[in-house]
Amino acid sequence: RARLERDGVDAPAVWARIERLVLKTLFSVQDVIPANPNSFELLGFDVLIDSDLRPWLIEVNASPSLARENDLDYKVKDALVADTLRLVDPPAFDREQLAALLQSKMGERSRSRWHVDKQLPAQIHRVLLGKAPRQYGEPPARPGLYKRIAPSSDYDDICRLLPR
């Protein structure tokens, strides 16, 4: 981004075109990406910017390599991993209490498929050291350099223009 701005390029405009390219790509494959609200997938978009500052999608990598082979890799990928961990914000938990809870639950006989264990929420609360995980749909407290691009007005435009 700094290099583009140094060269007099409107970097935010180029970035907006890249975001739109990403949205169009994800829109085109949304039916084959499983919806797993308790997980995430890191995708690597390889984009070429031509002399007219138009982005072109080269490929999308599912689970791209985070190997670090040079100074730029260290700078980019270390920041990516740190931001990803801040974004996901996994709760701290007591491993010993979790192991004990799982061991006790594995040893219990199933009473019926409709049985509700009224003690389980309190037990999980203790395992998680009193901190509840972020709820589905709740925005992350520390997104780092991640930016939410959907839902957005650009995504709504793509949905209107491109039939499913």
Side-chain angles (χ1 to χ4, degrees), residues 2 27 31 52 88 105 135 140:
F27 179 86
D31 293 337
D52 294 324
V88 173
K105 294 300 174 193
Q135 296 299 304

Side-chain angles (χ1 to χ4, degrees), residues 4-162:
L4 291 174
E5 289 171 350
R6 248 191 342 265
D7 292 342
V9 172
D10 182 0
V14 172
W15 194 251
R17 287 193 286 275
I18 293 170
E19 287 176 1
R20 206 160 164 80
L21 173 74
V22 168
L23 286 170
K24 288 176 184 175
T25 303
L26 292 174
F27 179 86
S28 70
V29 296
Q30 67 183 334
D31 293 337
V32 294
I33 297 176
N36 295 312
N38 61 346
S39 65
F40 69 95
E41 178 77 35
L42 183 63
L43 301 173
F45 283 74
D46 293 347
V47 176
L48 174 73
I49 301 171
D50 69 16
S51 59
D52 294 324
L53 303 176
R54 204 166 112 186
W56 293 88
L57 180 65
I58 304 299
E59 68 177 344
V60 179
N61 298 300
S63 303
S65 170
L66 296 177
R68 301 169 307 178
E69 299 170 2
N70 56 52
D71 290 343
L72 182 60
D73 276 353
Y74 277 93
K75 182 178 179 180
V76 171
K77 293 176 181 179
D78 285 0
L80 173 70
V81 169
D83 277 354
T84 302
L85 288 173
R86 278 191 287 276
L87 180 78
V88 173
D89 193 20
F93 63 94
D94 185 316
R95 289 178 184 270
E96 289 177 13
Q97 280 192 24
L98 177 61
L101 176 61
L102 292 175
Q103 191 67 34
S104 73
K105 294 300 174 193
M106 295 286 286
E108 288 180 7
R109 294 183 60 154
S110 177
R111 296 180 187 113
S112 79
R113 72 184 232 197
W114 305 112
H115 172 72
V116 175
D117 183 349
K118 293 183 172 125
Q119 305 301 317
L120 188 59
Q123 293 167 327
I124 291 174
H125 185 75
R126 282 193 298 279
V127 167
L128 295 176
L129 307 173
K131 182 182 180 220
R134 189 172 78 230
Q135 296 299 304
Y136 177 73
E138 180 183 340
R142 302 178 303 155
L145 292 177
Y146 278 97
K147 177 183 174 187
R148 185 177 187 146
I149 60 174
S152 65
S153 59
D154 277 346
Y155 186 72
D156 292 343
D157 290 346
I158 290 166
C159 290
R160 279 192 293 276
L161 293 174
L162 301 174

